[in-house]
Amino acid sequence: MRVGTDGVTLGALAPVASRVLDIGCGCGLIGLMLAQRGACRVEMVDIDGAAAAEAALNAAASPWSDRVGVSCCDFLEFSAGEPFDLIVSNPPFFANGLEAPDSRRASARHDSALPPEAFMRCAAALLAPGGRLCVILPADCEGKWTAAAAFAGLSLREAIELKTKAAAPAKRVVLTFAAEAPAAPVRRQLALNSPEYRELTDPFYL
């Protein structure tokens, strides 16, 4: 899973934080974007050895190599010495249909190995007080993942609906969760063909 719009969008929209964990980091795009935005420490985790190796190479070649670490492990078994102020992920979200014949691609796209309930439970345990969990998902997955978050003690604080253009239906949504008392989340929309989106993402393109 290489650089794509979902990763770039999450890396640009996630709140800035000091200590960050990127779950299912792939090539390292999101974690490196957050390092570029000022995170003091970024830990990146991927279960796929080749992806983790590529993320490590990209981190080493970046200006932020001293602030980025990469681990190859199952997130469900990941442990850290300190909690995180921000956890980000472009998680596997497909639950139905045939899985890709390539096992690496299937692991990156289907939630059979990392269902929302397990993801949220482990993420909640790694958040510092006041920390945030930020994910990007298909818009029709919001209810399922919000329910899983609630079971883990996390409530939805913000939902950014992403559209290809202003008049189109939302295709993706960026959700931000926190361990706070439930309240009506802030909701807004963002069109990918808008000047606001171009201004948001321009600093990350060569």
Side-chain angles (χ1 to χ4, degrees), residues 54-202:
E54 184 177 11
L57 285 173
N58 289 335
S62 78
W64 314 286
S65 58
D66 60 332
R67 291 189 268 140
V68 179
V70 181
S71 299
C72 178
C73 69
D74 185 338
F75 171 57
L76 300 181
E77 300 174 357
F78 176 76
S79 62
E82 298 179 52
F84 295 92
D85 306 301
L86 172 67
I87 298 176
V88 291
S89 184
N90 179 7
F93 46 70
F94 289 118
N96 301 313
L98 294 174
E99 293 192 3
D102 182 335
S103 61
R104 294 178 62 209
R105 185 171 178 81
S107 177
R109 294 173 64 84
H110 287 263
D111 68 12
S112 55
L114 187 59
E117 296 78 11
F119 176 97
M120 288 295 181
R121 183 180 66 252
C122 292
L126 291 167
L127 276 178
R132 294 289 189 266
L133 166 63
C134 198
V135 299
I136 186 166
L137 300 163
D140 60 4
C141 290
E142 178 178 341
K144 177 181 178 180
W145 281 74
T146 299
F151 277 112
L154 301 175
S155 62
L156 181 63
R157 311 311 299 164
E158 183 181 47
I160 304 174
E161 298 173 0
L162 304 172
K163 303 181 172 188
T164 54
K165 53 186 178 181
K171 295 293 186 182
R172 292 285 190 269
V173 62
V174 174
L175 305 177
T176 301
F177 299 92
E180 298 173 354
V186 175
R187 302 193 74 94
R188 62 188 179 96
Q189 298 178 342
L190 179 62
L192 302 187
N193 67 342
S194 65
E196 179 186 358
Y197 183 81
R198 288 193 293 273
E199 182 178 355
L200 184 74
T201 56
D202 271 351

Side-chain angles (χ1 to χ4, degrees), residues 35-51:
Q36 180 177 341
R37 293 176 60 198
C40 296
R41 182 65 188 172
V42 177
E43 297 292 342
M44 302 196 288
V45 177
D46 204 293
I47 195 171
D48 183 84

